[in-house]
Amino acid sequence: MATTPRRVRTAGYLIWHLSTKWRVAVDRALKQFGLTHADYLLLASLREFSRSGAKPSQRELADFAGLEVMFVSKLVRPLEQSGLLRRADHPADPRAFELELTARGADLVGQAAAVMRELFDELLLPIGGRSAKRHAALVRTINVLLDEAEAFNRVKGTKAPAALRRAPDTRTGLSRR
């Protein structure tokens, strides 16, 4: 009988693996609202961005949400058609649109946000929940890694880091360190 191999223990793999598992949980929780994880991220980001009354362009919202502009454009159309947001010509840029949640969209994202808080309370229980020191440390660590990844991508673009250009380990196919 074959044994199941152990999970790869690299940080990158574990982050990817955790995000994949959490995404499944998020998609299941959001299904009741007819939203995907990406839809929710866009709508929740628009709600947060708009709290001061601002109407962001698709580019501004993409930057805020950490999404690609083209992906935001593809998400916006069906959300607009379903009456969750409005898209209007941008007053300062004739090539751009500004976005605004509709009352229906604001209500739906509010309901979904409550479900997301409950879900993440449950998912974070193993490290003591959202108010625990371990959670605060995790958030700080992830923010450091995100800032570094953003800076790396701005400076180096698509050039692979030196570690990725090394010969892979023949047993795992992963870079040697």
Side-chain angles (χ1 to χ4, degrees):
M1 180 173 177
T3 60
T4 303
R6 284 183 18 165
R7 185 181 295 148
V8 176
R9 300 278 184 211
T10 63
Y13 175 82
L14 292 172
I15 290 168
W16 172 82
H17 198 79
L18 178 61
S19 70
T20 301
K21 298 290 185 188
W22 278 18
R23 181 169 178 165
V24 169
V26 167
D27 282 338
R28 284 181 183 151
L30 291 172
K31 190 174 186 175
Q32 65 185 302
F33 302 106
L35 298 173
T36 66
H37 193 181
D39 293 334
Y40 173 74
L41 176 62
L42 185 83
L43 292 170
S45 295
L46 180 56
R47 182 175 84 163
E48 187 62 33
F49 196 104
S50 304
R51 285 190 191 276
S52 65
K55 296 177 183 176
S57 69
Q58 289 182 180
R59 174 171 296 286
E60 290 169 327
L61 186 60
D63 290 344
F64 182 79
L67 299 170
E68 294 295 323
V69 177
M70 290 303 294
F71 187 52
V72 167
S73 179
K74 288 178 182 179
L75 290 171
V76 163
R77 286 184 189 101
L79 293 171
E80 180 183 31
Q81 290 170 350
S82 63
L84 299 176
L85 61 81
R86 275 188 286 279
R87 184 172 58 155
D89 291 336
H90 196 284
D93 185 351
R95 301 165 298 162
F97 293 106
E98 63 181 17
L99 303 173
E100 178 181 27
L101 279 176
T102 63
R104 182 170 167 242
D107 182 55
L108 186 69
V109 78
Q111 292 175 45
V115 169
M116 289 296 91
R117 281 190 297 277
E118 289 177 18
L119 174 64
F120 282 104
D121 283 343
E122 189 174 336
L123 291 172
L124 292 166
L125 276 177
I127 62 169
R130 283 193 289 168
S131 61
K133 289 180 183 179
R134 288 176 70 190
H135 175 258
L138 176 63
V139 168
R140 282 192 305 274
T141 301
I142 290 171
N143 275 313
V144 167
L145 293 172
L146 282 170
D147 290 346
E148 186 62 29
E150 288 171 358
F152 178 85
N153 288 333
R154 271 193 310 274
V155 172
K156 299 186 180 179
T158 59
K159 182 181 175 189
L164 294 178
R165 293 190 300 266
R166 293 185 194 144
D169 183 312
T170 55
R171 291 174 294 135
T172 65
L174 301 172
S175 296
R176 292 183 188 148
R177 269 244 156 219

